[in-house]
Structures are given as structure tokens and as C-alpha cells.
Amino acid sequence: MSRSRRRSSDASISLTPMIDIMTVLLAVFMVTTPILTAGIDLDLPRAGRSALTGNDHAISVSVDSAGRYYLGEMQLAADNVVKRAVAMRGENPQLTIMINGDRHADYGAVMVMMGKLKDAGFQRVGLRTQLDK
């Protein structure tokens, strides 16, 4: 007396949970993207009409108008910037460092950073400027 039961299986995928997840991810990315692209507000000096190329793998060291040093967006003492840059060079021996000095920054503060990086053995250290239009 066995009865065979037939179950009707629904093989379709419910898109509602997937759409909910994508909506949440979209909202998260919309909120976090402006935070990631915000940088240190610097007024770079103007120089030249053409840009240098080949610095796609450069790290950025910034000196603001008050003479504070930044590696990326993290404020550090000058010696700590150099220590972290040396640690990064271990992963990439051809590391290029671009120093962004604010137009109103003390020239000595920019040159101190450049000198410390040169003393640490960095051969590829440059100064970033704004293109003159």
C-alpha cells in the first residue's frame, strides 16, 4: 500500500534577496567612495606645461602648509615616514616616491623629507607640481 507522492519542485531562483543585497552594496559603495578619494588639501606649485609619466607605482609623501608630513593620508613624523617607506621598498625595490609640497609649505620641511629619503637609499624621489596652463 505504498503511495507515491509527487512533489512539485520549483526550480526557479528568487531574485528578490539578490536584488536586496545588490542595493545594500550599492549604497555602501556610494557612501565610501568619496571618503577614499578625498586626500590632503594641498595647493601645489605650478611648473612646466608637460607631465612626467611612469609614476604609476609611486607612493605619495605630502608636506602641508603647516609642515606636517603625511604618507598617503596618514600623518606621521618625518622619521616614521621614512621607516614605512623603507618597509614598502622591501616589497618593491623600484619604488618611486613623489613628494607633494604645499605651495605655502616651508621649503626646508620639503627638503628635509627629500634628504631623509635619499639618505635611506631611495634613488627615485621626485617633487610633484601642478601643470601650468
Side-chain angles (χ1 to χ4, degrees):
M1 307 224 155
S2 86
R3 294 182 183 166
S4 66
R5 293 184 183 173
R6 289 195 167 195
R7 291 185 178 170
S8 64
S9 62
D10 188 13
S12 65
I13 297 174
S14 176
L15 291 178
T16 305
M18 196 178 324
I19 292 171
D20 291 343
I21 291 171
M22 295 305 293
T23 305
V24 169
L25 287 174
L26 178 65
V28 168
F29 286 126
M30 287 174 59
V31 170
T32 58
T33 300
I35 295 169
L36 295 175
T37 59
I40 300 160
D41 189 25
L42 296 177
D43 184 15
L44 294 174
R46 296 190 182 278
R49 293 187 186 269
S50 62
L52 296 175
T53 58
N55 292 324
D56 298 337
H57 303 289
I59 61 171
S60 176
V61 175
S62 302
V63 183
D64 68 4
S65 59
R68 294 180 295 245
Y69 298 104
Y70 297 86
L71 181 61
E73 293 184 18
M74 188 173 20
Q75 182 180 348
L76 298 168
D79 291 332
N80 291 338
V81 170
V82 175
K83 286 178 188 175
R84 289 190 183 228
V86 168
M88 289 178 188
R89 183 179 57 193
E91 297 172 14
N92 180 5
Q94 298 298 320
L95 187 65
T96 300
I97 298 181
M98 295 302 293
I99 299 176
N100 305 322
D102 190 276
R103 177 186 307 205
H104 303 291
D106 180 37
Y107 180 72
V110 175
M111 295 314 296
V112 162
M113 180 52 64
M114 183 174 260
K116 285 181 180 282
L117 290 168
K118 288 285 191 177
D119 291 344
F122 286 95
Q123 300 298 318
R124 303 174 76 175
V125 179
L127 295 172
R128 183 166 286 143
T129 61
Q130 207 171 30
L131 292 178
D132 196 18
K133 296 187 182 195

